Amino acid sequence: MVLEIAPLFAPMPGGPELLIILFIAILLFGANKIPKLARSTGEAMGEFQKGREKVETELEEMRQTGDYDEDEDEEFVDTEPVTSEEDTETESN
């Protein structure tokens, strides 16, 4: 009995596959919008990188100082929706 082992990484597309993807992108977005799309994607990735670095430095500072208390100026905002049993019963009827 031979067991198949799933790869730990997804295979990267080669040259022909990338050309097909580029051709489909040109058809979907048009040749004029692709540079704008690439620019906005790059900016979004840059902002994500800055945010990640900021969080990493804050975590490192917290580890060094041992100060794990939250800032008193910031308020906790609960983003979870509030539902009760009555709401779920009326939705199912």
Side-chain angles (χ1 to χ4, degrees), residues 1 4 10 13 41 46 52-54 58 64 66 75 78 83:
M1 183 163 120
E4 290 187 31
T41 303
R52 187 177 66 98
E53 289 173 359
K54 181 180 176 183
E58 288 177 2
Q64 290 175 354
E75 293 183 14
D78 188 12
T83 58

Side-chain angles (χ1 to χ4, degrees), residues 85-93:
E85 292 179 14
E86 294 174 359
D87 292 340
T88 57
E89 289 176 3
T90 55
E91 290 176 2
S92 61
N93 291 332

Side-chain angles (χ1 to χ4, degrees), residues 19-69:
L19 287 176
I20 291 171
I21 292 170
L22 180 64
F23 179 71
I24 292 172
I26 290 173
L27 287 177
L28 289 175
F29 299 110
N32 295 334
K33 291 186 180 179
I34 289 180
K36 293 177 186 177
L37 182 64
R39 187 177 305 113
S40 64
T41 303
E43 290 174 357
M45 289 176 61
E47 289 294 321
F48 178 78
Q49 181 73 18
K50 287 178 189 177
R52 187 177 66 98
E53 289 173 359
K54 181 180 176 183
V55 168
E56 286 176 354
T57 56
E58 288 177 2
L59 287 174
E60 187 61 32
E61 288 174 4
M62 287 172 54
R63 285 186 196 120
Q64 290 175 354
T65 61
D67 182 22
Y68 297 106
D69 294 334

